[in-house]
Amino acid sequence: MNSLSKRSAPLLLASMLAACATPQAPRQTPAATAQAPIEIGVVAINDFHGALEPPKQSVNLIDPDGTVTGVPAGGAAWLASAVDAIKAEHPNHVVVAAGDLTSASQLASSLYLDEPAVGVMNRIGLEFNAVGNHEFDRGSAELLRLQNGGCAKNTRHEPCRLEQFKGASYKYLSASTIKDDGQTLFPGTGLKTFDTPAGKITLGFIGLSLRTVPALVSPDALKGLRFEDEADTINALVPKLKAQGADAVVVLIHQGGKTPDFNDVSGCNQFTGDINPILDRLKPGVDVVVSGHTHWPYVCERAGPDPSHPILLTSAGVYGELVTDITLNFDPKTHALIAKKARNVIVQSQPYTGSRGAIPNTDRVPRFAPKPEVATYVKRYVDDVVKETSRLAGHLSGPAIKTEGDGSWRGGPLGYLIADSQLGATRKLGAQVAFTNPFGVRTSLTPAADGTVTFGQLYAVQPFNNELVVQTMTGAQILALIENGLDDQNTQQVIAPSANMRYSYDMRRPSGHRVVSLTLDGKPLVPAAKYRVASNSFLSEGGDFFVQFTQATDKVRAGIDVDAMEAWLTAVPMRQVPNDGRVTEIK
């Protein structure tokens, strides 16, 4: 079943009603007249990250008794069918995205410079995409190539390996990304006009990145660019869109937030996040904000500058596991927006077996068949890359888990394994300790029953091709960077050290003073002493707000992070998953 009009589960119906941000008039029928409200559908996604194949992750449903049911979700061909089903319910529609469609991708997309991810979005019918932070990972020249097409080589990988790349048929929007000449890297706005029984109705779109892109992307990739304030940028553009005839304004922004309940995919209970200060400063005129970045699903009715017109705020999670169905109703006489609502639709795909066991299909939500055109296109890339993905890359004693949900900032065994591999690869350069950032770990590493791990699995964990860097830091700087990950100033991350470092922390203590103990090779760090520290190049350049790395000296570059992991696994017959309590939270 792939029709969204067939609903058999009362719980799903209840969740749909709960997701309504404001009341909506009944859907138009063929007999509708110009006096009926005019409906326009906005189909929204975000953070696709080149997930051509199902990511083998589930979206959770909650039973009335509290039981959680995991629904296998995602995969480009299934996503295409879900988008088609939603478009079929809205004769007037537009497909949009809030960034990070490329980079941090599956190997079948990343090895080909995400050309197939762009190809998938072309086939889905995407029209506008706000540039996310990861879209800058390979530099602005490569990002411009994704828009315009061609085979210019801007990275160490070869472009156009399987086909002549024609570029994106959709438009990238980057209203707050400014070049040295004062112009935006891409247009900041876009318009789409619909011919309706009541005349022409126009939606205006503003697309932009988050202001903190420089903290999330290597500086070399951002040369000649600056990122301006999000709220100021939006406020300046809304009147211009109105003057161009926009009847409603939709913001596509790669920034977002979270709720305490990851399982409520269309909820907004106790919503927090960096998107809030931006929304607080918006002037009247914004109707809908499609967001992303946090990989968290939500649908919110958010108080805006005009109490009578709250802002509808949405996010569709990550990896194409969800699609947001947004319905806008307009007065047929005045063309004023009179109602809006949204819901997140689960892109149920194929069952799989993961670290939690078998995740079967369920009849509680629609099942989507893979769209043949997209499935055939994806298969071409998946088949070509199989020689890399299936290559044996070592053995692991069990699953190395990436902590998900509310605990993702604390990291876990997989982060420790990565840090150990990086220290192992850089000992010859004098490294004494290594660190990795939990948010740089993209997925869990689950070996086969005999412990076998493939290179494709390793690449899924670390898809950035970051170099390793060894640098000199003082004991005081190392302490400060650990505190930095625990403080209240930026996004919190418990940075993962190699096995020879131990530290404990207490979040009840004041920000900046939460580290209780810190040792290296069993001895306390000496504040004035100098140590050789290994990390990936992203961290070395101050990524994820770990600015202390930028104060380091005597930097030496080593190999690639994923190669270091492969070397670490193959160095022994069976590598043990770290479970040594090297980082302890005191409660």
Side-chain angles (χ1 to χ4, degrees):
M1 179 175 66
N2 63 3
S3 171
L4 293 176
S5 62
K6 297 179 180 179
R7 310 289 184 192
S8 60
L11 180 60
L12 179 61
L13 178 61
S15 67
M16 289 168 54
L17 296 174
C20 294
T22 57
Q24 183 207 9
R27 191 178 300 279
Q28 284 182 284
T29 67
T33 69
Q35 298 305 307
I38 302 300
E39 178 183 297
I40 293 175
V42 179
V43 187
I45 60 175
N46 54 273
D47 296 277
F48 178 64
H49 288 294
L52 304 186
E53 299 181 274
K56 294 186 177 180
Q57 293 187 176
S58 59
V59 176
N60 290 336
L61 291 175
I62 307 299
D63 292 319
D65 63 0
T67 303
V68 177
T69 299
V71 182
W78 291 265
L79 174 63
S81 288
V83 170
D84 283 350
I86 297 173
K87 288 194 293 187
E89 293 200 345
H90 301 288
N92 297 309
H93 57 257
V94 58
V95 184
V96 300
D100 275 11
L101 302 183
T102 57
S103 193
S105 304
Q106 294 175 355
L107 188 60
S109 184
S110 183
L111 189 64
Y112 306 93
L113 296 171
D114 281 309
E115 292 171 4
V118 172
V120 165
M121 292 299 131
N122 289 344
R123 288 162 174 78
I124 282 175
L126 183 66
E127 297 183 54
F128 298 105
N129 174 48
V131 179
N133 57 287
H134 278 295
E135 271 134 343
F136 289 102
D137 283 347
R138 300 186 183 103
S140 59
E142 180 63 9
L143 179 53
L144 286 165
R145 188 183 76 88
L146 291 186
Q147 174 72 94
N148 301 320
C151 299
K153 186 175 180 179
N154 301 310
T155 74
R156 68 188 185 94
H157 289 303
E158 291 292 334
C160 302
R161 290 178 55 174
L162 288 190
E163 60 182 327
Q164 186 72 22
F165 181 60
K166 297 180 180 179
S169 59
Y170 51 93
K171 295 184 181 299
Y172 286 96
L173 302 180
S174 63
S176 59
T177 305
I178 311 300
K179 301 183 295 182
D180 286 340
D181 63 4
Q183 301 298 309
T184 56
L185 181 64
F186 295 104
T189 62
L191 295 165
K192 180 164 184 180
T193 299
F194 302 87
D195 289 317
T196 78
K200 295 183 182 298
I201 292 180
T202 299
L203 297 186
F205 297 92
I206 301 170
L208 66 164
S209 306
L210 65 168
R211 183 171 48 85
T212 55
V213 166
L216 303 171
V217 177
S218 297
D220 288 347
L222 301 176
K223 288 180 178 178
L225 300 176
R226 70 179 189 273
F227 295 81
E228 297 191 338
D229 182 85
E230 304 99 330
D232 290 345
T233 300
I234 295 167
N235 288 335
L237 291 174
V238 169
K240 295 180 180 180
L241 284 175
K242 294 289 188 181
Q244 294 171 19
D247 297 296
V249 173
V250 178
V251 172
L252 313 174
I253 182 170
H254 194 69
Q255 182 56 284
K258 294 183 178 181
T259 65
D261 188 359
F262 188 75
N263 299 317
D264 189 358
V265 298
S266 291
C268 191
N269 184 43
Q270 300 179 48
F271 181 84
T272 61
D274 291 334
I275 190 72
N276 279 339
I278 299 171
L279 300 178
D280 289 339
R281 293 175 49 225
L282 293 184
K283 296 179 180 178
V286 174
D287 300 292
V288 179
V289 174
V290 177
S291 64
H293 187 52
T294 61
H295 297 184
W296 213 266
Y298 45 81
V299 173
C300 302
E301 184 182 67
R302 181 63 162 70
D306 181 354
S308 65
H309 292 87
I311 294 171
L312 180 59
L313 172 68
T314 72
S315 171
V318 67
Y319 300 147
E321 297 170 358
L322 297 159
V323 180
T324 308
D325 176 7
I326 302 170
T327 302
L328 306 179
N329 282 340
F330 294 84
D331 184 282
K333 294 182 178 179
T334 66
H335 289 186
L337 180 64
I338 56 175
K340 52 195 174 185
K341 71 173 185 177
R343 62 190 176 98
N344 277 327
V345 176
I346 298 175
V347 182
Q348 182 170 200
S349 55
Q350 62 187 17
Y352 69 95
T353 299
S355 59
R356 296 186 299 170
I359 308 295
N361 287 123
T362 175
D363 291 329
R364 293 179 54 196
V365 295
R367 301 188 190 192
F368 294 100
K371 187 173 183 178
E373 175 196 0
V374 177
T376 299
Y377 177 74
V378 167
K379 186 176 185 298
R380 184 181 179 193
Y381 283 90
V382 172
D383 287 349
D384 191 72
V385 82
V386 71
K387 56 184 176 291
E388 286 292 321
T389 58
S390 60
R391 178 167 56 81
L392 177 64
H395 294 82
L396 195 61
S397 63
I401 300 300
K402 171 191 180 297
T403 308
E404 301 285 356
D406 290 338
S408 61
W409 68 282
R410 291 183 172 88
L414 184 51
Y416 300 156
L417 185 68
I418 292 170
D420 290 346
S421 73
Q422 293 179 356
L423 180 59
T426 56
R427 282 282 197 187
K428 59 183 179 293
L429 297 176
Q432 297 168 271
V433 64
F435 293 100
T436 196
N437 50 320
F439 292 163
V441 182
R442 306 308 291 187
T443 189
S444 295
L445 182 57
T446 303
D450 63 354
T452 299
V453 174
T454 66
F455 182 77
Q457 290 177 289
L458 298 188
Y459 198 92
V461 171
Q462 298 181 95
F464 305 108
N465 284 295
N466 282 324
E467 289 184 282
L468 299 183
V469 179
V470 180
Q471 57 236 310
T472 298
M473 302 181 72
T474 66
Q477 289 170 333
I478 293 173
L479 173 61
L481 80 86
I482 296 173
E483 288 281 11
N484 192 23
L486 302 171
D487 69 23
D488 297 332
Q489 301 304 310
N490 297 298
T491 303
Q492 291 176 334
Q493 291 190 69
V494 180
I495 195 164
S498 50
N500 58 336
M501 174 166 279
R502 295 285 192 275
Y503 71 85
S504 62
Y505 65 95
D506 186 344
M507 296 302 292
R508 298 168 298 184
R509 296 176 62 165
S511 179
H513 301 277
R514 288 172 172 162
V515 175
V516 177
S517 64
L518 174 61
T519 64
L520 179 65
D521 296 322
K523 300 177 182 178
L525 258 67
V526 178
K530 294 181 178 181
Y531 301 89
R532 295 291 282 169
V533 179
S535 72
N536 61 55
S537 53
F538 170 71
L539 280 179
S540 176
E541 292 161 350
D544 273 358
F545 304 99
F546 286 106
V547 296
Q548 289 76 17
F549 282 109
T550 65
Q551 302 162 3
T553 59
D554 304 320
K555 296 190 177 186
V556 177
R557 291 182 177 266
I560 303 299
D561 52 8
V562 68
D563 294 337
M565 175 66 90
E566 182 176 9
W568 185 245
L569 293 181
T570 57
V572 295
M574 180 72 72
R575 180 64 67 181
Q576 297 299 308
V577 177
N579 188 24
D580 50 22
R582 65 189 70 173
V583 177
T584 304
E585 181 178 5
I586 298 174
K587 297 181 180 181

